[in-house]
């Protein structure tokens, strides 16, 4: 056999087009660090490994001081490779028609403030390279694993209730995450489509709670106002002990005022639920075997390859009640892009059983979304449930037919006269958005043929489903 030529060797070493686009973009941002330290997956995802990110590069960013236009603390900058399409040969990401995104359309980044000890060491021995912590790489890998295994993407403004120290420590107040656009990397075009750089930002529980109730982008804007809370580039400081609302109490007053006047931008949360039809009459409009609905979903061709891949991989260890911005949710449930009315099955009445961990969002859904003429979705990995206000346009349900099943999407219209009754019922049950109910709760509005139960859904349902639909503007 003839020895390979130099051109053949060079072709073997040349990175694939998608990967090269990301590398070139990062070299333009960090020209002094063409070969950064990397965390590399030994057994690639497309060879049967469990970690979907092929690489995570770690850059040293000197930040910018007080005398400059932006106040940015020195930090480590972590960037993922693998959520976008690196290869273009369908080894990881299947080609989708009518999409302009590369793979899942984004990569993850994270900015970690350097500790005082690291800064002193850098000053004392500038010629000696300091190794960055590697726990952020594990964090990004966990988030990527969730995205791969559920099919759910991330959008700017989303929030993630991590519920533990991001670095695994017991005493850190940074125990949750918001999703921002990376201020340096932004968005790029690659040979396989566009890639957004979604920056994961560590936040306190109070900041997460307010982002969930109001607006993730709004809370990020508060955080960026001062270097103590991240500065212009939203650098996560694991040593931060106070929330932005403790440091600057006036921001909380402004937030609460906006929430009452404008409502919440939170469009939905991931949450398990089940439902069944309530039949007040003997006439059945169309029989639906709801027990078999998930099995039918699993047999659909557009979910087949996703399910097969899940059978080979472990379940994601990820918070169940991840919250979604309107942009993120619209990719799954666009109200203005759905089948025609004949495909929608109208129900006489409906009973919904919602997991207790999601019950704290019920008052928000009605008071801060439906009351302001919007919609709210509980999105499971097998089904989606959208509560709709009367004024929402494009919905499959109407005042005369308020309950509908559209494929694997359940829609429930909440009439205007029911809104104050639901708000009162949820307040009386102390669903204040802070605590999870410990007992079964039942809410029944018989005149509306609508019943809501807060309890563990009666059956374990598949976790490999995602609802695919085109995004809206």
């Amino acid at each position: 056999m003839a020895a390979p030529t130099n051109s053949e060797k060079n072709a073997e070493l040349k990175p694939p087009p998608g990967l090269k686009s990301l590398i070139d973009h990062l070299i333009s941002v960090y020209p002094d660090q063409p070969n950064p330290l990397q965390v590399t997956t030994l057994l690639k995802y497309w060879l049967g490994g469990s970690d979907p990110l092929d690489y995570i590069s770690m850059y040293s960013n000197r930040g910018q001081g007080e005398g400059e236009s932006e106040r940015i603390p020195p930090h480590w900058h972590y960037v993922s490779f693998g959520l976008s399409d690196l290869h273009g040969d369908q080894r990881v990401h299947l080609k989708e028609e009518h999409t302009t995104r590369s793979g899942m359309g984004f990569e993850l980044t994270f900015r970690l403030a350097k500790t005082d000890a690291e800064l002193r060491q850098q000053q004392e021995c500038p010629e000696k390279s300091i190794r960055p912590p590697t726990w952020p790489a594990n964090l990004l890998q966990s988030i990527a694993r969730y995205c791969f295994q559920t099919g759910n993407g991330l959008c700017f403004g989303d929030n993630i209730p991590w519920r533990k120290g991001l670095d695994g420590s017991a005493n850190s107040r940074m125990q949750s995450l918001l999703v921002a656009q990376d201020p340096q990397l932004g968005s790029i075009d690659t040979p396989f489509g566009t890639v957004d750089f979604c920056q994961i930002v560590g936040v306190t529980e109070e900041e997460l709670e307010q982002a969930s109730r109001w607006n993730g982008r709004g809370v990020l804007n508060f955080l960026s106002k001062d270097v103590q809370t991240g500065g212009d580039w939203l650098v996560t400081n694991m040593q931060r002990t106070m929330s932005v609302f403790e440091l600057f109490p006036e921001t909380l007053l402004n937030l609460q005022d906006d929430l009452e006047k404008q409502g919440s931008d939170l469009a939905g949360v991931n949450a398990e639920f089940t439902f069944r039809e309530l039949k007040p009459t003997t006439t059945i409009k169309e029989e639906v075997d709801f027990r078999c609905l998930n099995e039918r979903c699993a047999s659909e061709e557009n979910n087949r390859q996703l399910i097969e891949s899940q059978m080979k991989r472990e379940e994601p260890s990820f918070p169940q009640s991840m919250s979604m911005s309107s942009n993120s949710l619209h990719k799954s449930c666009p109200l203005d892009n759905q089948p025609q009315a004949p495909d929608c099955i109208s129900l006489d009445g409906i009973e919904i059983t919602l997991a207790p961990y999601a019950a704290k969002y019920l008052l928000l859904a009605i008071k801060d979304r439906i009351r302001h003429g919007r919609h709210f979705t509980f999105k499971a990995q097998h089904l989606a449930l959208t509560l709709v206000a009367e004024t929402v346009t494009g919905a499959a349900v109407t005042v005369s037919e308020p309950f509908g099943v559209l494929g694997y999407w359940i829609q429930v219209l909440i009439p205007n006269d029911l809104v104050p009754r639901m708000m009162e019922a949820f307040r009386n049950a102390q669903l204040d958005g802070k605590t999870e109910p410990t007992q079964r709760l039942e809410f029944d509005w018989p005149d509306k043929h609508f019943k809501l139960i807060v309890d563990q859904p009666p059956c374990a349902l598949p976790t490999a489903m995602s609802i695919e639909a085109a995004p809206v503007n």
Side-chain angles (χ1 to χ4, degrees):
M1 180 182 293
T5 64
N6 287 336
S7 61
E8 289 172 335
K9 289 181 180 178
N10 291 337
E12 292 175 0
L13 296 174
K14 186 177 180 181
L19 177 59
K20 185 177 185 303
S21 294
L22 300 183
I23 292 173
D24 290 346
H25 183 51
L26 286 161
I27 288 176
S28 71
V29 174
Y30 292 104
D32 59 331
Q33 301 176 64
N35 297 299
L37 291 173
Q38 279 188 333
V39 174
T40 302
T41 302
L42 296 179
L43 183 61
K44 302 299 188 224
Y45 193 78
W46 39 275
L47 293 175
S50 61
D51 294 330
L53 300 179
D54 286 0
Y55 316 98
I56 299 167
S57 289
M58 302 178 288
Y59 296 90
S60 177
N61 193 305
R62 69 178 183 86
Q64 295 178 3
E66 294 186 23
E68 303 181 46
S69 59
E70 298 168 310
R71 296 182 59 189
I72 302 160
H75 61 276
W76 304 108
H77 192 192
Y78 301 77
V79 184
S80 77
F81 297 81
L83 285 160
S84 64
D85 194 345
L86 305 181
H87 305 277
D89 56 7
Q90 302 196 67
R91 71 180 69 184
V92 178
H93 298 281
L94 299 178
K95 290 184 179 179
E96 299 179 20
E97 294 183 2
H98 313 299
T99 181
T100 59
R101 66 186 185 186
S102 170
M104 297 195 77
F106 65 96
E107 292 290 353
L108 300 172
T109 75
F110 183 75
R111 295 177 187 270
L112 176 66
K114 293 181 179 179
T115 63
D116 293 339
E118 288 172 333
L119 294 174
R120 282 196 302 270
Q121 186 178 352
Q122 211 166 33
Q123 286 181 339
E124 294 168 1
C125 306
E127 72 285 348
K128 183 179 179 181
S129 73
I130 305 173
R131 298 185 68 85
T134 57
W135 65 260
N138 296 329
L139 176 69
L140 298 187
Q141 196 71 264
S142 296
I143 296 171
R145 194 178 299 120
Y146 162 82
C147 292
F148 264 67
Q149 294 181 351
T150 64
N152 293 336
L154 298 180
C155 283
F156 310 137
D158 288 353
N159 62 73
I160 306 171
W162 203 250
R163 307 304 187 198
K164 58 184 178 181
L166 303 182
D167 59 356
S169 65
N171 56 0
S172 174
R173 288 196 65 184
M174 300 298 106
Q175 296 193 358
S176 290
L177 303 161
L178 297 181
V179 182
Q181 182 175 38
D182 190 293
Q184 264 188 307
L185 302 183
S187 177
I188 64 169
D189 292 318
T190 75
F192 308 127
T194 59
V195 178
D196 293 325
F197 289 89
C198 292
Q199 182 173 319
I200 305 301
V201 181
V203 295
T204 68
E205 288 297 294
E206 184 182 8
E207 290 158 356
L208 172 81
E209 179 187 341
Q210 298 304 334
S212 296
R213 292 183 63 239
W214 177 54
N215 181 312
R217 291 174 185 253
V219 173
L220 288 167
N221 185 52
F222 287 152
L223 293 172
S224 69
K225 296 298 185 184
D226 194 276
V227 71
Q228 297 179 78
T229 51
D232 293 300
W233 289 4
L234 295 167
V235 177
T236 298
N237 183 354
M238 294 300 294
Q239 278 67 55
R240 179 157 68 95
T241 59
M242 299 178 72
S243 76
V244 67
F245 304 112
E246 293 169 318
L247 289 166
F248 311 105
E250 69 278 4
T251 59
L252 184 57
L253 296 176
N254 294 336
L255 182 154
Q256 291 172 340
D257 186 53
D258 286 344
L259 184 62
E260 182 62 29
K261 291 178 180 177
Q262 303 171 15
S264 173
D265 280 359
L266 179 67
V269 295
N270 287 341
E272 290 298 326
F273 69 91
T274 57
F275 76 102
R276 70 182 184 91
E277 183 177 19
L278 297 179
K279 302 174 181 177
T281 65
T282 56
T283 303
I284 300 175
K285 297 179 181 179
E286 183 170 345
E287 184 65 37
V288 181
D289 187 349
F290 300 114
R291 185 178 296 275
C292 297
L293 187 59
N294 301 303
E295 296 176 11
R296 284 166 43 203
C297 183
S299 68
E300 290 290 311
E301 180 64 22
N302 64 343
N303 285 316
R304 178 179 57 80
Q305 295 187 356
L306 176 62
I307 297 167
E308 289 175 352
S309 68
Q310 295 312 309
M311 294 173 64
K312 302 175 183 178
R313 298 181 172 87
E314 63 190 46
E315 293 297 317
S317 56
F318 205 78
Q320 294 170 305
S321 57
M322 174 183 164
S323 305
M324 294 168 284
S325 65
S326 296
N327 288 339
S328 180
L329 196 62
H330 284 162
K331 290 185 178 180
S332 298
C333 307
L335 284 176
D336 64 351
N337 184 16
Q338 51 185 303
Q340 296 299 312
D343 292 327
C344 180
I345 302 171
S346 178
L347 308 181
D348 289 317
I350 195 166
E351 177 185 285
I352 297 165
T353 300
L354 183 68
Y357 61 80
K360 64 181 181 179
Y361 293 102
L362 284 170
L363 183 58
L364 179 149
I366 302 303
K367 174 178 176 289
D368 299 322
R369 292 291 298 180
I370 303 301
R371 184 167 67 106
H372 290 271
R374 301 176 186 174
H375 53 84
F376 191 90
T377 295
F378 295 97
K379 185 175 181 294
Q381 293 168 344
H382 58 290
L383 294 170
L385 165 67
T386 297
L387 306 180
V388 180
E390 282 190 17
T391 55
V392 170
T393 59
V397 289
T398 63
V399 174
S400 59
E401 293 190 329
F403 313 113
V405 178
L406 195 67
Y408 307 108
W409 186 8
I410 299 90
Q411 294 185 21
V412 175
L413 185 140
I414 307 296
N416 292 337
D417 62 337
L418 184 57
V419 169
R421 295 166 59 189
M422 294 183 74
M423 287 172 54
E424 181 182 8
F426 296 153
R427 283 187 176 125
N428 291 340
Q430 298 183 330
L431 297 181
D432 55 4
K434 296 180 180 179
T435 57
E436 179 180 317
T438 56
Q439 298 179 343
R440 175 186 172 98
L441 300 174
E442 291 192 9
F443 305 95
D444 195 3
W445 299 277
D447 58 315
K448 302 297 184 183
H449 311 298
F450 181 29
K451 186 173 184 178
L452 177 63
I453 298 171
V454 175
D455 197 7
Q456 197 59 39
C459 56
L461 297 168
T463 59
M465 301 298 147
S466 63
I467 302 172
E468 299 293 336
V472 299
N473 294 328

